[in-house]
Amino acid sequence: MDLVIRDARVIDGTGAPEYRADVGVQDGRITTIHREEEAGPRPSGPRTLDAQGLALSPGFIDMHAHSDLALLRDPDHSAKAAQGVTLEVLGQDGLSYAPVDDRTLAEVRRAITGWNGDGSDIDFDWRTVGEYLDRLDRSHGGRGIAVNAAYLIPQGTVRMYAVGWDDRDATPAELDHMKRLVAEGMQQGAVGMSSGLTYTPGMYAKDAELTELCRVVASYDGYYCPHHRSYGAGALDAYREMVELTREADCALHLAHATMNFGVNKGRAPELIALLDDALDDGADITLDTYPYTPGSTTLVAMLPSWASEGGPDAIMRRLQDDETAAKIRHHMEVIGADGCHGVPIEWDTIEISGVSDPGLASCVGKTVQQAADMRGEEPWVTARRLLINDRLGSTILQHVGHEENVRAMMRHRVHTGGSDGILQGFKPHPRAYGTFPHYLGHYARELGVLSLEETVAHLTSRPAARLRLPDRGLVREGYRADLVLFDPDTVAAGSTFEAPRTLPVGIPHVLIDGKFVMEDGRRTDVLAGRAVRRTP
């Protein structure tokens, strides 16, 4: 064998109790698991790693990642590799960079600058889903990428491509075009389709349109991953809508960052759990992901009402620059409750500026909009409007609207998986980008006991692998790929905080992808073992 991991505390991903074993790896796969109590010779090889009481688990799968350009930009990518993440699912929230034509690419680059940067440092030499996946494989001089990546077809981008930015029903010809784009993306290796139904233009799609697209996804055995229409005032109805829509389409459903936010939903996670349990008991195919923090993260422009975003970024800028229209936008946000803010009147003291595209605006970062306004002696909307215009819609925010009891309730659920929703851009990103997986293991499993360590690992490994229909990942089992993490259960913890969000975790000394060390003795190696993981036919 190429490598023998000696005396490991194996937490195999099934949720079963840990056991001690030697684990042998050869040619990128687990070839031998020799339990402590077994007779016979122990495995040997040219290299032996003494686990010294470390836990050995499958690599963690980030079911909700925004590394679409970061993997191309940064060969190191320690934000995820150091957490033990060995696979990320990209193309989230209905907005990403394939499939596109030249017009759509320019528009989507601008629309999600706050998530991924403007891409000026990227050679966008792809247009289709397959070409994007190929580009991942040949990145960094053909060496590949830091961690593996799967891809969801972004429904908002597909609508942008076929329909544009108008708030209207698609014509039959446009719907056929969207269905072809989704089918082609699935044929080229996507694992499913995402939506961002509080983001334009994807939010303009009605249920009938989404159902037709989900039927296409289902025909390829993929899944639908919606950021649904409300996490606030209409949250339960929005969840119910997604359950009913996918059951009508006979499509598997994976609910993105599933929780109940804002004051109207404090303590209401049990209602959501009851809704999901009823559907599961009736045969629905549902999973979900969450991150283990209370604040959310998105862009400031996402808070606007959808009518203000119709037509795309240039139209938004014109509306913000017009005093009369800007006053209407303000009324919707502060009094009525804009759909971009989930139907809840915005509370400016919960909106913290986490990143700006223009370095000249860096003094705003780390302050709430209310704090920044108080410093200038002006009303918060005036500050927010100025920031949107001057930063050309590129500002990111932390939205402090979550509830700890809801977070804990959702992570206990039987179909729960982990997802960071990590935005890596900005001067002060959400710490979940660098800390989600060790935070689950250290804070919620070891310190709080919300889940056992074995059950926590199952949530982060085998459950997401099953949703992705990956037949040889997510378990420590002979024949499976050697995507493995060695961590210290007694010390593992997120280093990232809201004050220092880019601090790497502790207690995760070794991470392997296909049997190659991408983290060794707590340091990032120069290995690029990641590849595009395509849908299994």
Side-chain angles (χ1 to χ4, degrees):
M1 276 157 282
D2 303 326
L3 170 69
V4 175
I5 302 170
R6 186 80 73 199
D7 288 324
R9 296 170 54 182
V10 177
I11 302 176
D12 65 6
T14 64
E18 68 173 70
Y19 59 88
R20 291 221 176 234
D22 298 339
V23 176
V25 174
Q26 186 171 5
D27 296 329
R29 292 190 179 269
I30 300 167
T31 54
T32 301
I33 300 175
H34 186 276
R35 295 193 182 223
E36 183 179 50
E37 65 274 13
E38 288 182 13
R42 300 173 75 176
S44 62
R47 180 172 183 186
T48 299
L49 174 64
D50 187 348
Q52 296 180 331
L54 296 175
L56 175 68
S57 81
F60 306 135
I61 297 176
D62 188 342
M63 286 296 286
H64 193 102
H66 288 285
S67 303
D68 307 51
L69 299 185
L71 283 166
L72 303 176
R73 177 182 291 128
D74 178 16
D76 182 80
H77 201 49
S78 288
K80 296 301 177 67
Q83 292 187 62
V85 171
T86 58
L87 189 151
E88 299 184 271
V89 184
L90 313 176
Q92 300 287 348
D93 295 324
L95 291 167
S96 189
Y97 305 94
V100 291
D101 57 9
D102 291 349
R103 171 190 61 81
T104 308
L105 175 60
E107 291 174 348
V108 76
R109 283 177 60 182
R110 186 168 177 193
I112 53 175
T113 291
W115 292 357
N116 300 306
D118 64 9
S120 58
D121 56 340
I122 301 293
D123 179 10
F124 288 89
D125 58 353
W126 69 86
R127 294 296 180 269
T128 69
V129 169
E131 289 169 352
Y132 173 70
L133 297 177
D134 290 343
R135 173 62 187 280
L136 292 174
D137 285 340
R138 59 182 174 80
S139 293
H140 307 299
R143 296 169 60 213
I145 49 180
V147 304
N148 296 309
Y151 190 74
L152 295 166
I153 301 163
Q155 171 262 331
T157 301
V158 166
R159 197 172 213 273
M160 197 186 305
Y161 191 155
V163 181
W165 290 83
D166 295 340
D167 182 1
R168 62 172 176 82
D169 292 344
T171 67
E174 289 166 341
L175 179 57
D176 285 343
H177 188 191
M178 287 189 282
K179 291 166 69 174
R180 287 196 304 274
L181 291 171
V182 172
E184 289 166 3
M186 295 298 295
Q187 293 163 8
Q188 293 164 8
V191 294
M193 181 181 75
S194 75
S195 283
L197 299 180
T198 65
Y199 300 132
T200 55
M203 69 187 307
Y204 299 141
K206 293 180 181 176
D207 284 2
E209 179 180 312
L210 295 172
T211 300
E212 287 301 303
L213 298 182
C214 283
R215 292 188 200 279
V216 176
V217 173
S219 71
Y220 293 94
D221 206 22
Y223 69 92
Y224 180 43
C225 179
H227 163 133
H228 52 270
R229 298 192 193 273
S230 176
Y231 290 81
L236 278 177
D237 287 340
Y239 281 111
R240 186 175 294 107
E241 175 191 11
M242 294 299 101
V243 170
E244 293 174 353
L245 183 156
T246 48
R247 299 206 73 181
E248 173 68 21
D250 197 23
C251 184
L253 172 64
H254 180 84
L255 294 164
H257 36 60
T259 191
M260 302 282 284
N261 290 334
F262 301 92
V264 295
N265 289 317
K266 183 176 175 61
R268 296 186 68 190
E271 297 176 56
L272 170 57
I273 289 170
L275 168 66
L276 299 178
D277 284 344
D278 286 347
L280 288 163
D281 292 345
D282 196 38
D285 185 357
I286 301 173
T287 50
L288 57 89
D289 67 66
T290 72
Y291 48 84
Y293 299 87
T294 53
S297 179
T298 186
T299 56
L300 183 58
V301 68
M303 299 291 100
L304 302 183
S306 58
W307 61 263
S309 297
E310 185 178 4
D314 288 335
I316 297 171
M317 289 290 287
R318 288 193 297 272
R319 293 185 182 107
L320 288 168
Q321 289 165 342
D322 178 77
D323 289 344
E324 184 177 349
T325 307
K328 293 178 182 178
I329 294 172
R330 176 182 183 176
H331 181 74
H332 272 258
M333 294 178 72
E334 294 185 344
V335 179
I336 297 174
D339 47 6
C341 194
H342 307 273
V344 177
I346 197 163
E347 296 175 324
W348 294 112
D349 60 351
T350 69
I351 307 296
E352 178 184 352
I353 305 303
S354 60
V356 290
S357 297
D358 181 355
L361 300 169
S363 62
C364 296
V365 174
K367 299 180 180 67
T368 67
V369 173
Q370 183 69 59
Q371 289 169 335
D374 290 344
M375 290 177 63
R376 297 179 64 95
E378 61 190 17
E379 295 181 331
W381 165 248
V382 176
T383 299
R385 180 188 178 193
R386 180 188 298 109
L387 186 59
L388 285 163
I389 293 171
N390 292 351
D391 205 28
R392 298 192 61 77
L393 314 180
S395 305
T396 54
I397 62 170
L398 302 182
Q399 197 169 14
H400 296 270
V401 293
H403 306 286
E404 180 66 19
E405 64 270 41
N406 288 348
V407 169
R408 296 187 193 188
M410 295 310 301
M411 72 172 64
R412 293 188 183 102
H413 197 269
R414 53 179 158 147
V415 298
H416 169 266
T417 68
S420 71
D421 196 9
I423 295 174
L424 301 171
Q425 288 294 117
F427 294 101
K428 192 174 179 286
H430 197 302
R432 67 192 184 190
Y434 285 72
T436 286
F437 294 87
H439 200 49
Y440 267 120
L441 297 168
H443 183 61
Y444 283 96
R446 183 183 66 243
E447 296 176 1
L448 299 181
V450 174
L451 295 168
S452 70
L453 185 60
E454 291 90 344
E455 186 65 13
T456 302
V457 169
H459 285 228
L460 307 180
T461 59
S462 63
R463 288 188 185 178
R467 165 50 72 219
L468 295 168
R469 307 195 192 284
L470 301 176
D472 58 356
R473 300 177 197 263
L475 294 171
V476 179
R477 182 171 289 175
E478 291 179 0
Y480 274 53
R481 290 182 180 271
D483 293 355
L484 299 168
V485 180
L486 284 129
F487 65 92
D488 185 344
D490 296 328
T491 64
V492 63
S496 59
T497 64
F498 288 98
E499 293 71 31
R502 287 194 170 87
T503 307
L504 297 181
V506 297
I508 306 179
H510 305 292
V511 181
L512 296 89
I513 295 178
D514 270 357
K516 304 177 183 68
F517 283 91
V518 297
M519 295 290 298
E520 188 171 9
D521 295 323
R523 295 185 297 273
R524 178 73 172 93
T525 70
D526 61 0
V527 169
L528 294 174
R531 297 293 184 270
V533 174
R534 292 165 171 82
R535 181 186 61 85
T536 303

